[in-house]
Amino acid sequence: MIVLPPAAAYFLAAAVSPFLPRPLRRAVLVLAAAAGLSLVLLAPEGDGWRFTLQQGIELTLLAVDPVSRTVGSIFALVGLFCVIYTIDRDDPMLHAATCGYLGAAVGLVFSGDFFSLVVFWELMAIFSLLLIWNSDISGAGDAGMRYLYIHVFGGGCLIGGIALHLASGGPLTVGPVAGGAAALLLITGIGVNAAFIPLHTWVPDAYPKASVWSAVFLCILTTKSAVYVLARTGSGLEAVAWMGGIMCVYGAFYALLQDDIRGILSYSIISQVGLMTAAVGVGTPSAIDAAIAHLANDVAIKALLFMGAGAVILATGAHRLQELGGLARRMPLTAACCAAGGLAMAGVPPFGGFVSKGLVIAAVGEAIPALEILLLVGAAGTVLYVARFLYYVFLAGEPAPGPDEAPPSMIVPMVSLAVLCLVLGTLPDMVFDLLSRAAVHHAYAPSNVAGAFGIAGGALLVFVLAGGAFTPLGRDVPDLDALTRRAGAGFLGFCTGPVGTAADRIDAAAGAAATRAARFASNFQAGVVIAAAVLARPLIRRLPGGAERIRAIDRMRRQFPEVRAGRWDSQSGVLLIALMFLLFLVVYLVA
Amino acid sequence: MIALPLILLGLLAAFSADALPRQILVESAAGIGGAALFAAAVAAARALTGAGGEAR
């Protein structure tokens, strides 16, 4: 059986759906997402859809192995839920961009060669940028521009790394890239999308400003696909593992300093991607499996929590912890779904995050014990920001009056994802069966369960005892991008201030010179005669009848450019051209 | 809320091998210690940046 590349279903929907009437468009979107998932599940193991370009470049559009199928399946499955979440929104451009974004992400996962990988990588950047700009929220335009700048830089680094890899004789097939400049550039490019510190600021900058509907797609695809590419090309580097540890703690710390609920979740993305990055950096088979398992869990968790946050924002019109509270009474189903997602992210049994987070920490601990401590601290931070999010949105205070529970098109995918989080936790072999090389993990060994409750219980105790440190904030605490934005504003001020003034003056001077030159050129011969006479005026004055000659020169000046001088013959012109050539020769020889 | 995991921990500790209590202690200490570090750092950051806030 010939199976199309799954990306084709999404791209077809992206191309066709904007031109369809609304009911038909909704059907096409859901069918395309379901078809994409089916194609991922049906795709045969091995390489398929191979083409050779004229330049000898061999493309592989459907490279299927247990890892790519796992990541592709979770993208397609959660993508289907995200499509359902947005289905009531009458916005053809939103739907086209989401389908294109999903298609690019799934296409990237199944790319067997670097050429296709780069194409899908850039398509992801373009479609995600469209999703950020498809927003009424203040600041979305500027955030999109900053997103564009950083991703142009990241894409350039990725392409540069791959080009160096190929130039040094490396294969076009997607695989590990040898060390040196190629690996450095490649990992920097991937690091932009994976939100390595300090290249991370686009995540909390752009995601909270994206529309409710766009954000559910943005939060699952870009960072996770970067982790996948990192696992394919740059695993087993200790520096990368330590970067993951730093991201884990840094993200948790800043999540606690946000008041925007999607700001909290954005920093949570950085923290959880840090866990995956640490495991990929360790690079052992068990660590890679753990990273992929955590990737799968985090895709489901983040989609669920961003959906919940979106439902809260649409129901209340508020997006800050200070303005929210007590919503569990008004929106019990949304609250229950967010609680499931939060518990999964905090690593509490029996949710999926418990299994994969435990595997990640154990795998990292075997290779780099000191890094395990960092990840455990980050895990405690995760419990804190999850508790803060759930408490101040759903429990504390009185709910503001307004409409109740989210509509069914939002509730259905949220409940489905909550169930998925539970299934990924209670049937961990479901993930690890797809990763065929993984051994059977005893995730529910009493020591693992006890350890998870130990961390969660300990952190909760601190949350209760030190509650004052975690109350809603008057404003978000600035991150590193506050410095870069200030530097950027200073640079712009310098450009529009001193540099602009200097440019204006140079422009005015050049304009005046050009005006004089044009006036001079309007009667070139007379101008030359007058200029020479003016320069020679001291000599002319001493000549017999000098005074009369000076008066004649002044008359000529007053009458210029109408005054006429004697015509020059052609020999003079030839002489002038010869002199210019001579001048050119001198300059050439001297320089 | 805190009691539930503590009760579960106690039950697990009672019915499991010797290594388990140590694991519980280590992970609980990591949870409490890590969270306490975050609490201190967050309080310092809030004070330094004047981010304000309110108790509910």
Side-chain angles (χ1 to χ4, degrees), chain A residues 217-230:
Chain A
F217 291 90
L218 292 166
C219 73
I220 62 171
L221 296 178
T222 297
T223 49
K224 275 71 168 187
S225 58
V227 171
Y228 169 79
V229 175
L230 187 67

Side-chain angles (χ1 to χ4, degrees), chain A residues 249 252-253 256-257 321-325 376-378 380-381 384 391-392 396 446-447 449-451 453-455 457-462 464 466 468-475 477-478, chain B residues 1-2 4-6 8-9 12-13 15-17 19-20 23-24 26-43 45-46 48-56:
Chain A
V249 174
F253 174 63
L256 290 166
L257 293 170
L321 289 184
Q322 267 205 338
E323 304 160 342
L324 297 167
L376 286 172
V377 170
L384 287 178
Y391 180 71
Y392 286 110
S447 59
V449 176
F453 277 122
I455 291 179
L460 269 179
L461 190 66
V462 173
V464 173
F470 306 116
T471 53
L473 292 152
R475 61 182 174 82
V477 172
Chain B
M1 196 175 280
I2 303 167
L4 181 64
L6 290 177
L8 280 169
L9 283 173
L12 284 163
F15 292 104
S16 300
L20 191 60
Q23 176 91 6
I24 296 167
V26 168
E27 305 272 350
S28 300
I32 293 171
L37 278 175
F38 274 111
V42 166
R46 289 171 75 128
L48 283 172
T49 57
E54 60 170 42
R56 267 197 248 163

